Amino acid sequence: MKKLLLLLWAGMLCVGCSAADLEKEIADLRAELDEQKEMIEALQANASILEVTAEDGEYTIWFTDGTEITLKDGKTPLITIGENGNWYINNVDSGKTSKGADGANGSKVTIGENKNWFIDGEDTGISATVPATNSIVGVVDGDKEMTFVFADDTTISCPKGSGNGLVFAERPSKGYENFHVEVNYYAEDNDKTQSTIKQDGSKTYWDYGVIALPENYSTDPNSPTRLIILCQGTGERTGASTNPLGNHGWSYFLAKGYAVLDMNGMAPSWGQAMGFPVTDQHYCNKHVLQCYKKGYDYVMKKYNLHKEVFVMGISMGGGASTLIVQNEILPVIAQAAFCPALSVYKNNFMQPWGSTNQQRTIAGQYNFANWKSATLNQAYFLENYDKVVGYDNLMINTFGDAATKQQANENYNNDAEREAYCALSKYYPCPLKIWHATDDTVVAYRYSEFMVQMIKNAGGNATLRTMTSGGHVGGWNNAKGNVSDTDINGKTIKTSVPFYEAMMFIQRYE
């Protein structure tokens, strides 16, 4: 993804600088503005405007080649056509029609000598704040093109919709795209001893994503591609340069004509800033939801994809995919999960594959009390359980009497725990199938069993595909390469039993 944050005039120059410093600052700013002007001119020739989104005093302009331009100063106006056909300047009706003399959209928007906005030579009476430097002073959003107006009265116009007849971006030449999105890593104040209410803290970090598109991907709006969101396990990372094409699962689903998306789910810079023992693993923390929602929004705006998706998850990613489904943040058709670490509590904390480093990181991610020094045990987790409510998959949308829920929570790996979970019921919004080996010593099979039983108790559609051997990795690579299938071109390909069966499962719902 190419992101261009336009340098605007307000607040750009240093305060308290010497004359020489100020002169250099202005020269550097003008050079950068000239460079940005050249970039917009390049976009004019090679891309078109896809969408404009506005939020909290800033707006972002999305291009078909993946570039996004964000204007943040809150002063540079967006000039648009209102429902009444008039030009609006920052949502204020100018009283001037957007139609030219012949009724066509041919109005000319300029800045007059009095520094007001003029439309077709007529003064709107609305001031255009014009800086000394050659920055963008306005963006005119017309019916067929968007025009950037500069302080020197020059303009650059970019077509809307599709400059080359395309609404969506082409398949990347290498078959996949690495991108990143901003995620707000908020931290609630959960201290019940405080007598005053505090605002949530928040800080924005980047989370990385990767999208791969099959060979038969088309930009034709009538032929969208179906997307699978495949959430990774602990053994994988999604970073700035991840190449997913060598991954066994990705290669198979792509060969069957599906696009595949994954996010890292955890910004390493956040983990580093917080001082977590593990800085690049999400362990199904609450911010996973925002990471995948923003990644989904990014690829849906850019590529020709069905809005409804399939979701899959491997190991820890099984927990992430389940969290996505149960919180209903995306339109999911059906879900497949392979040896899923369903519960932050019972799987990830009580049976950590990463020892105490994993447990302490989870405690930090959820802002548990004294997480840096606390004794890490079940009692400690239960003392902080209120901070995980809404994010623990086994208890989301789960109903039954309070005593049974308490029994399920307060017991671990015993018959009382089994009895309690299997007596509860769970609403689940889409068909679910889980592949899990009974000899999995990394992620306990029992919680997949409980999950499916609770859904069935509520009359839901859930299936547990039990494998008697294969351990943890066998949950997705059992007999890897032993099953023959054909790709979109009729060529023979090989895959594992679970992936082959998962393909048959999701195609049932196409």
Side-chain angles (χ1 to χ4, degrees), residues 485-507:
D485 198 0
T486 55
D487 67 8
I488 53 178
N489 299 313
K491 180 182 175 182
T492 299
I493 54 176
K494 298 276 190 179
T495 190
S496 66
V497 171
F499 284 158
Y500 177 76
E501 292 181 350
M503 178 56 61
M504 290 192 294
F505 170 70
I506 66 172
Q507 287 182 333

Side-chain angles (χ1 to χ4, degrees), residues 120-133:
D120 289 333
E122 294 187 23
D123 192 340
T124 65
I126 300 174
S127 174
T129 305
V130 181
T133 56

